[in-house]
Amino acid sequence: MTATRHSIPDDLLIGYAAGALPQAFDLVVASHVSLCDDARARLATYEAVGGAVIDDLDAVEVAEDSLDRTMAKIAGMPPAEAKPFVHGVFPAPLREAVGGDADAVQWRALGMGAKQAVLHQDGETSVRLLYIPAGQAMPAHSHRGTEMTLVLKGAYSDESDRFARGDIEVADSDMHHTPVAEPGEDCICLVATDARLRFDGWLPRIAQTFLRI
Ligand code: ZN
């Protein structure tokens, strides 16, 4: 429970505070916030001013239930990030979503020892757990939209940097990378993807709304 080397960018954290991220990304952000003191502190700041931008959010194209979710947060719904980390690999929000820790996951084999479990899918937006054996490469890939990866166990490196437990990597359509799990420990990641182009469009507008205050 320390500050991680790679924390979440402010615009995505603001989107989360506003209740405006796709549901798949909420789970990744909540899990990251559980593991990263820096992200938790920044989130507290954004949530403190969040209520003031509700009216402005009407003009922004966001997920259908985002306003309700934001209202619920402001009404005092306990935030997921405040729940204590118990033990094991998964932070509390992820344990809740899965109904247990890594041993409770219904993994599906991908070949070469790699496994995945899709936790939620909504159109082209999804969040899944990825299990990569130590020392093994994930397939090289580019991104049609935004991909957010949170490391839960082990570590991996790609062309840009090294990512260990609690670290988050955000890749967009400009990025093409080949993540490789480090030797010595299998790597488990939580990955949210959104291939829809509009994801890039409305998020900066939400950030701008916040920054104007
Ligand atoms: Zn990727």
Side-chain angles (χ1 to χ4, degrees), residues 141 143 147 177:
H141 58 277
H143 310 92
E147 176 188 79
H177 65 164

Side-chain angles (χ1 to χ4, degrees), residues 14-93:
I14 288 168
Y16 175 76
L21 292 186
Q23 197 181 338
F25 286 74
D26 276 350
L27 182 59
V28 182
V29 176
S31 297
H32 171 67
V33 165
S34 290
L35 298 171
C36 178
D37 291 340
D38 170 65
R40 193 159 50 249
R42 283 185 289 141
L43 178 62
T45 304
Y46 296 137
E47 285 186 333
V49 297
V53 300
I54 293 292
D55 291 342
D56 287 346
L57 279 177
D58 285 345
V60 182
E61 186 189 348
V62 294
E64 264 179 27
D65 64 340
S66 66
L67 186 59
D68 289 341
R69 283 191 283 147
T70 305
M71 293 301 281
K73 274 187 181 176
I74 298 208
M77 191 179 77
E81 62 276 3
K83 288 168 190 163
F85 177 72
V86 188
H87 57 81
V89 172
F90 291 173

Side-chain angles (χ1 to χ4, degrees), residues 141-143 147 149 169 171 175 177 179 191:
H141 58 277
S142 51
H143 310 92
E147 176 188 79
T149 303
E169 181 178 28
M175 190 186 201
H177 65 164
V191 186

Side-chain angles (χ1 to χ4, degrees), residues 143-184:
H143 310 92
R144 286 206 306 142
T146 299
E147 176 188 79
M148 189 191 285
T149 303
L150 170 67
V151 181
L152 299 165
K153 181 178 186 291
Y156 73 85
S157 296
D158 64 13
E159 288 83 341
S160 68
D161 216 329
R162 174 184 186 270
F163 300 87
R165 177 172 167 84
D167 283 340
I168 209 159
E169 181 178 28
V170 180
D172 61 22
S173 49
D174 297 330
M175 190 186 201
H176 183 91
H177 65 164
T178 311
V180 180
E182 278 189 3

